[in-house]
Amino acid sequence: MITAGIVAGGTGSRMGADIPKQFLELRGKPVIIHTAEVFLKHSKVDKVIIGVHPEWTGYMQELNEKYLNSAAVITSGGADRNDTIVNIIECAKRNGASDNDIMLTHDAVRPFVTERMISDSIAAMDDCIICTTAIPATDTIVVSEDGETAVDFPLRRTMFCVQTPQTFRIGKFMEMLSKIPLEERANITDACSLFHRNGIKVRLIKGDSANIKLTYPSDMK
């Protein structure tokens, strides 16, 4: 069984809108609907589960019924990204998934994910533990501890911008998370960081510069 877990637990404060950015309208439909449709249409994805902030699950269910014929499964998100993924995994298990099954986790506000990226991510799981889409950095990247002074200039050719989907087997994610003390989990911002923290190599899958994360008002344009 292959599950797409769409992470939509945030409130999108940087967008400055009255509603979370995943619910903003983009060409006649909410952003999250565009995102979900790509996974629902993919021939190898068996289930799409959307993890939404608890205050918005009812609204998301209304959108699910209106635009997707209730094809997606809605569950509550958690306190942070990894907590939301845990909730999605638990929901997937209630819907028939097992520990050895594959899950693609994806940002709700990346509606331009493509069928090719999904297919490549699934195929990579034949010989890796975790993979993520990524693109080479086009800007020079600096390291700064205080946001005011640059302390390091890594070689640009070694720098990549991580996107989603990020893909793994669900039992492995729970194993990796169990090895991290609760007080340290807040510093781990995504699945790749979690696996890397446990010494697991992360496979890079070719992403796309169009696969942007809608974050600021200018991104909507």
Side-chain angles (χ1 to χ4, degrees):
M1 182 175 179
I2 296 177
T3 302
I6 299 179
V7 182
T11 57
S13 57
R14 286 175 292 182
M15 186 64 76
D18 294 332
I19 60 175
K21 56 190 176 181
Q22 57 265 31
F23 300 128
L24 294 175
E25 189 171 291
L26 183 66
R27 290 198 172 181
K29 290 186 289 189
V31 168
I32 196 167
I33 297 300
H34 288 285
T35 304
E37 285 177 334
V38 182
F39 289 93
L40 285 167
K41 291 176 182 176
H42 197 284
S43 62
K44 291 190 175 181
V45 174
D46 300 299
K47 187 75 66 177
V48 173
I49 301 175
I50 304 175
V52 185
H53 191 284
E55 294 180 3
W56 291 90
T57 52
Y59 182 65
M60 184 64 237
Q61 189 58 58
E62 292 177 9
L63 297 180
N64 188 27
E65 294 170 4
K66 180 178 179 180
Y67 294 99
L68 304 175
N69 294 317
S70 299
V73 177
I74 312 304
T75 192
S76 293
D80 56 30
R81 184 184 186 88
N82 284 327
D83 281 347
T84 296
I85 293 175
V86 169
N87 287 0
I88 290 173
I89 286 174
E90 291 174 347
C91 182
K93 287 187 172 182
R94 292 194 298 270
N95 282 269
S98 66
D99 282 344
N100 198 45
D101 286 339
I102 292 171
M103 175 169 286
L104 302 99
T105 55
H106 187 69
D107 299 322
V109 288
R110 289 188 191 268
F112 307 115
V113 60
T114 66
E115 179 181 355
R116 190 272 304 164
M117 281 184 267
I118 296 171
S119 296
D120 288 354
S121 297
I122 294 170
M125 293 308 296
D126 287 342
D127 59 3
C128 76
I129 296 175
I130 181 171
C131 65
T132 183
T133 49
I135 58 173
T138 56
D139 296 318
T140 296
I141 306 296
V142 301
V143 178
S144 175
E145 298 291 341
D146 58 8
E148 296 181 358
T149 305
V151 296
D152 194 15
F153 289 76
L155 288 174
R156 187 171 64 186
R157 61 179 174 80
T158 69
M159 297 292 104
F160 287 76
C161 299
V162 170
Q163 301 181 331
T164 62
Q166 296 184 353
T167 308
F168 46 80
R169 297 188 186 277
I170 62 177
K172 202 67 177 177
F173 178 91
M174 298 303 293
E175 177 190 339
M176 296 295 102
L177 192 62
S178 70
K179 294 180 178 180
I180 303 298
L182 287 173
E183 62 273 15
E184 296 180 19
R185 292 184 184 181
N187 297 322
I188 300 175
T189 57
D190 67 347
C192 290
S193 301
L194 173 63
F195 279 71
H196 175 74
R197 177 72 174 271
N198 283 287
I200 304 297
K201 290 183 178 180
V202 178
R203 171 80 60 83
L204 299 185
I205 302 298
K206 182 181 177 182
D208 194 305
S209 59
N211 184 29
I212 64 170
K213 184 178 183 181
L214 302 177
T215 306
Y216 299 105
S218 58
D219 296 331
M220 293 298 288
K221 297 179 182 180

